[in-house]
Amino acid sequence: MTGRLQDKVAIITGGSNGIGRACAERFSAEGAKILIADLLTEPGEAAAAAINDAGGTASFIELEAASPEANHAMAAAAVESYGQIDVVVTAAGVSSAEYTSGDIEGNLKRMAQAAEASAVNPAASITELDIDHWRRVLDVNLTGTLLAIQATAAVMVDQKRPGSIVTIASIAARDPLWGAPSYPVSKAGVWMLTKNASQTLAPLGIRVNSIGPGFIETNMTAAFSEVDEFHNMIIAKTPMGRKGEPSEIASVALFLASEDASYVTGELIHPDGGWFTG
Ligand SMILES: NC(=O)c1ccc[n+]([C@@H]2O[C@H](COP(=O)([O-])OP(=O)(O)OC[C@H]3O[C@@H](n4cnc5c(N)ncnc54)[C@H](O)[C@@H]3O)[C@@H](O)[C@H]2O)c1
């Protein structure tokens, strides 16, 4: 342990898998007590148990990110278990309305369906976009981030404690990538929400920053790696020539969460292997 988050309490939404789980593990190694909040219970409880087995302190609570009540219950659970909230990472997210973390077959099927639809109608990702699908992606990624900020910042303000909130956007906040607009629009929204919240909360001692990862090896991108066309396109557009590891995002989250970033707020940092150098 190096203790950069010693005695801090961190909530990690989306902490059952991927980037969120890596943040939970790294923050625990730095001394924080962890509340993992996620839709998926089994991997979330396993993630908390692994942290406890390694000598840390972690618990799990089920969270539907798009529910105001669930976000308030999450904040209340952190206070009940650990007395305070110091750090929040909002990593809960979906790449499409039907996305379930770990269902790689389902993701592959949806990619094939989208490719087929755009071969028939090149405008399909706009003109045939199902409005309920659009809403679900916005509800989870954007409204879910707002709800987590609302619930946790309210506790920090009440307790008159400084805090650090780290949202997870994407390179898609600035690059429309390809396919349906829902995901990039949700992430552009997360970026603007982060800037807005950072202005409001800065005088209260709460910093709010965002991370915009490039392509990272998680369940969310596993299907891309199975399809040569996508995989090669991603690697060709990434000057470092590889996808990133979740731990490489957790390092940036740790910087933003810790006192090392004491004068940093309203920023969007891209750990992306150089995606935006072109
Ligand atoms: N992997 C990448 O390349 C990449 C790149 C840029 C941004 N991101 C973002 O990083 C974040 C984490 O994604 P990941 O790559 O680790 O994928 P992941 O699937 O491994 O993790 C996402 C987690 O969010 C949870 N989740 C999904 N919907 C939820 C909901 N409604 N309520 C609560 N929890 C929910 C999932 O159960 C899962 O544990 C997401 O916001 C994603 O958009 C990922």
Side-chain angles (χ1 to χ4, degrees):
M1 280 197 193
T2 56
R4 285 161 77 188
L5 295 179
Q6 199 61 48
D7 300 325
K8 303 288 186 193
V9 174
I11 297 179
I12 319 283
T13 79
S16 292
N17 292 287
I19 290 170
R21 179 167 177 165
C23 290
E25 289 170 350
R26 185 71 199 274
F27 288 12
S28 170
E30 297 287 341
K33 299 186 182 79
I34 309 292
L35 178 63
I36 293 172
D38 199 290
L39 197 58
L40 296 182
T41 301
E42 212 179 296
E45 285 178 343
I51 288 172
N52 290 323
D53 288 348
T57 302
S59 50
F60 171 81
I61 186 168
E62 194 177 320
L63 170 76
E64 163 49 68
S67 154
E69 294 77 18
N71 277 281
H72 283 291
M74 170 185 81
V79 173
E80 193 182 323
S81 300
Y82 306 128
Q84 68 207 45
I85 301 170
D86 303 292
V87 172
V88 180
V89 177
T90 62
V94 291
S95 50
S96 68
E98 296 147 315
Y99 176 76
T100 300
S101 188
D103 176 19
I104 293 162
E105 287 307 311
N107 267 355
L108 280 169
K109 203 172 114 196
R110 282 188 289 282
M111 279 168 60
Q113 283 166 345
E116 218 170 279
S118 78
V120 176
N121 171 11
S125 66
I126 292 286
T127 59
E128 293 171 23
L129 176 63
D130 183 315
I131 204 67
D132 289 333
H133 285 199
W134 157 270
R135 284 196 179 111
R136 177 65 182 160
V137 175
L138 273 279
D139 279 353
V140 175
N141 292 358
L142 177 54
T143 307
T145 303
L146 171 65
L147 292 171
I149 294 174
Q150 277 189 316
T152 56
V155 172
M156 291 172 181
V157 171
D158 274 358
Q159 293 193 336
K160 297 190 170 45
R161 290 184 73 81
S164 173
I165 300 174
V166 181
T167 65
I168 305 294
S170 166
I171 50 171
R174 286 182 167 153
D175 181 335
L177 300 177
W178 56 81
S182 330
Y183 185 80
V185 169
S186 74
K187 294 301 187 178
V190 167
W191 167 216
M192 185 51 72
L193 168 63
T194 303
K195 286 208 281 191
N196 177 286
S198 72
Q199 276 191 339
T200 305
L201 297 173
L204 297 157
I206 302 168
R207 295 181 295 104
V208 191
N209 290 286
S210 194
I211 300 177
F215 283 86
I216 309 302
E217 297 278 6
T218 70
N219 287 336
M220 194 171 278
T221 60
F224 291 137
S225 304
E226 301 283 312
V227 180
D228 283 349
E229 183 198 342
F230 277 112
H231 179 74
N232 295 339
M233 183 166 65
I234 289 164
I235 298 306
K237 284 194 72 174
T238 306
M240 287 180 73
R242 63 172 178 87
K243 284 161 78 179
E245 294 298 329
S247 61
E248 294 178 293
I249 307 306
S251 302
V252 179
L254 173 63
F255 163 67
L256 292 172
S258 74
E259 277 302 299
D260 288 349
S262 57
Y263 198 51
V264 182
T265 199
E267 274 302 323
L268 170 60
I269 298 182
H270 287 296
D272 61 8
W275 186 271
F276 285 121
T277 52

